[in-house]
């Protein structure tokens, strides 16, 4: 019969990996180093596998450790979520909701949603992660994000993720004020420019790459910026070209630094949706936050 694994062993394993050493994990958990070493030895004995490689510089996951980490994280996050779910249902309205947001929404819809949510659940803490869907996949898989509101491109992720369409957004090509191509009227005029965009894999930008492939000379994307702030900062201070949602173009301060080009070509619309693991269950607070995103995205 297999030796049962204890929750404190999972917490020890996750904390040692998070901090990179037993000494740092012992301080975080307020436990002695011998106690953590014993807990890890018992966990490895129960699994019949070595999870860490020990060295003078710290500890490193083995192949088995890397595989086990995802499941350990998910178990602990699901347990935390289950406890908060019950507490919220009996009237204890606190806990944590972790959500991922596409960069263009952090400056438009997100502030309205978060302000309303904080009024409704003032004691629930929120953690917001900005970025593209692909950068959030490990967090979604490990239960460290409850859901994300992001662009989605159908493909290999359909088997593990639920996608609920919320809205479509138009995108525009932008440059800095005074850019040599500020009066361009077609993509052909921009093909020799330096372009920057988030990763094209599996997101709205994959659709852009497909549309650009029809050009005689497609643009070359030389710099990948995973956040909107990094992308906008680069464009503002250089001759790089990028693409942003029309919501960003409509911001009050946009015209002070940027120009949105009126091109002959129609860029594909981005489809935004609420994305979560198929086996994920939201707490009442998490479900309320999801409802607010649905409401504000569809108005």
């Amino acid at each position: 019969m297999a030796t049962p694994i204890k929750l404190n062993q999972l917490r020890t394993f996750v904390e040692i990996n998070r901090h990179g050493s037993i000494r740092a994990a012992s301080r975080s958990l307020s436990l002695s180093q011998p106690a953590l070493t014993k807990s890890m030895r018992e966990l490895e004995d129960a699994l019949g596998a070595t999870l860490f490689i020990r060295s003078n510089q710290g500890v490193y996951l083995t192949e088995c450790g890397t595989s086990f980490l995802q499941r350990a994280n998910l178990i602990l996050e699901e347990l935390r979520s289950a406890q908060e779910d019950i507490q919220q249902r009996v009237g204890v309205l606190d806990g944590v909701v972790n959500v991922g947001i596409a960069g263009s929404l952090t400056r438009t819809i997100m502030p309205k949603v978060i302000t309303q949510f904080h009024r409704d659940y003032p004691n629930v803490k929120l953690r917001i992660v900005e970025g593209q869907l692909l950068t959030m996949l490990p967090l979604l898989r490990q239960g460290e994000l409850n859901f994300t509101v992001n662009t989605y491109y159908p493909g290999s992720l359909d088997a593990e993720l639920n996608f609920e369409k919320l809205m479509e957004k138009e995108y525009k090509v932008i440059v800095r004020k005074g850019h040599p191509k500020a009066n361009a009227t077609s993509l052909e005029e921009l093909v020799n420019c330096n372009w920057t965009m988030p990763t094209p894999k599996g997101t709205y930008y994959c659709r852009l790459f497909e549309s650009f492939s029809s050009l005689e000379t497609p643009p070359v994307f030389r710099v990948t910026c995973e956040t909107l702030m990094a992308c906008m900062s680069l464009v503002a201070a250089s001759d790089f070209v990028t693409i942003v949602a029309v919501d960003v173009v409509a911001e009050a301060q946009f015209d002070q630094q940027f120009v949105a080009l009126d091109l002959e070509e129609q860029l594909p619309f981005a489809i935004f949706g609420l994305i979560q693991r198929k086996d994920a269950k939201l707490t009442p607070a998490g479900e309320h936050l999801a409802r607010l995103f649905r409401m504000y995205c569809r108005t």
Side-chain angles (χ1 to χ4, degrees), residues 100-110 129-133 136 149-151 171 198 205 226-229 245 248 251 272:
I101 307 292
S104 61
L105 302 186
T106 61
R107 299 155 68 106
T108 54
I109 291 173
M110 187 204 73
V129 179
E130 176 190 349
Q132 299 299 307
L133 174 60
M136 299 180 186
V149 178
N150 229 303
T151 58
Y171 271 58
Y205 298 98
E226 294 298 351
T227 67
L228 180 63
M229 180 178 292
V248 177
E251 291 179 6
F272 285 83

Side-chain angles (χ1 to χ4, degrees), residues 77-78 80-82 84 95-100 124-127 129 136 139-149 161-162 274-283 285-287 289-290:
E77 286 297 325
E78 285 293 313
R80 178 192 62 78
S81 181
E84 290 180 2
V96 180
V97 179
N98 302 290
V99 60
V124 173
K125 296 179 181 178
L126 275 174
R127 174 177 170 242
V129 179
M136 299 180 186
L139 299 177
L140 283 170
R141 286 169 175 154
Q142 295 174 20
E144 295 182 34
L145 280 185
N146 300 111
F147 63 86
T148 178
V149 178
L161 299 178
N162 272 333
L274 193 148
I275 305 164
Q276 63 184 116
R277 291 192 345 265
K278 286 193 172 182
D279 61 347
K281 178 177 173 55
L282 298 177
T283 63
E287 184 55 50
L289 183 62

Side-chain angles (χ1 to χ4, degrees), residues 175-184 190 193 238-239:
V175 297
R176 65 169 176 82
K177 289 188 73 173
H179 191 284
K181 298 293 185 180
N183 295 316
L190 304 172
C193 293
S238 70
D239 285 342

Side-chain angles (χ1 to χ4, degrees), residues 27-270:
R27 290 196 295 266
S28 173
L29 294 170
S30 300
L31 295 171
S32 68
Q33 292 185 52
L36 265 62
T37 300
K38 179 183 178 184
S39 181
M40 276 306 309
R41 186 170 58 249
E42 291 174 346
L43 177 59
E44 290 179 325
D45 288 345
L47 293 171
T50 300
L51 300 177
F52 286 114
I53 298 173
R54 282 79 169 174
S55 72
N56 293 333
Q57 287 73 43
V59 296
Y60 306 90
L61 288 172
T62 63
E63 182 180 351
C64 289
T66 300
S67 177
F68 188 65
L69 177 64
Q70 180 175 331
R71 296 179 184 274
N73 271 322
L74 183 56
I75 290 168
L76 293 176
E77 286 297 325
E78 285 293 313
L79 180 62
R80 178 192 62 78
S81 181
Q83 184 175 9
E84 290 180 2
D85 183 283
I86 299 304
Q87 289 177 332
Q88 290 169 14
R89 292 180 190 281
V90 298
V92 182
L93 301 182
D94 58 14
V96 180
V97 179
N98 302 290
V99 60
I101 307 292
S104 61
L105 302 186
T106 61
R107 299 155 68 106
T108 54
I109 291 173
M110 187 204 73
K112 302 173 186 176
V113 171
I114 300 309
T115 300
Q116 181 62 53
F117 179 83
H118 185 62
R119 283 198 291 263
D120 299 337
Y121 282 81
N123 296 321
V124 173
K125 296 179 181 178
L126 275 174
R127 174 177 170 242
I128 299 166
V129 179
E130 176 190 349
Q132 299 299 307
L133 174 60
L134 283 191
T135 64
M136 299 180 186
L137 279 178
L139 299 177
L140 283 170
R141 286 169 175 154
Q142 295 174 20
E144 295 182 34
L145 280 185
N146 300 111
F147 63 86
T148 178
V149 178
N150 229 303
T151 58
Y152 187 67
Y153 190 82
S156 60
L157 300 176
D158 294 352
E160 61 176 309
L161 299 178
N162 272 333
F163 173 76
E164 177 188 347
K165 181 178 176 180
L166 298 180
M167 62 182 176
E168 293 186 1
K169 287 287 183 184
E170 182 182 0
Y171 271 58
K172 290 278 190 180
V173 177
I174 69 165
V175 297
R176 65 169 176 82
K177 289 188 73 173
H179 191 284
K181 298 293 185 180
N183 295 316
T185 58
S186 72
L187 287 172
E188 293 288 354
E189 297 178 59
L190 304 172
V191 294
N192 293 321
C193 293
N194 290 321
W195 288 69
T196 177
M197 283 203 312
T199 177
K201 300 177 181 178
T203 67
Y204 165 70
Y205 298 98
C206 186
R207 297 183 65 196
L208 279 178
F209 269 66
E210 289 180 354
S211 66
F212 287 163
S213 65
S214 63
L215 297 174
E216 184 175 341
T217 307
V220 177
F221 296 87
R222 303 190 183 281
V223 177
T224 298
C225 290
E226 294 298 351
T227 67
L228 180 63
M229 180 178 292
C231 195
M232 299 285 283
S233 297
L234 176 59
V235 172
S238 70
D239 285 342
F240 272 83
V241 179
T242 194
I243 297 171
V244 299
V246 291
D247 287 355
V248 177
V249 175
E251 291 179 6
Q253 307 300 318
F254 178 86
D255 291 339
Q256 295 182 13
Q257 289 185 289
F258 304 101
V259 175
L261 303 185
D262 187 13
L263 302 181
E264 299 169 358
E265 299 88 351
Q266 174 68 60
L267 298 180
F269 277 58

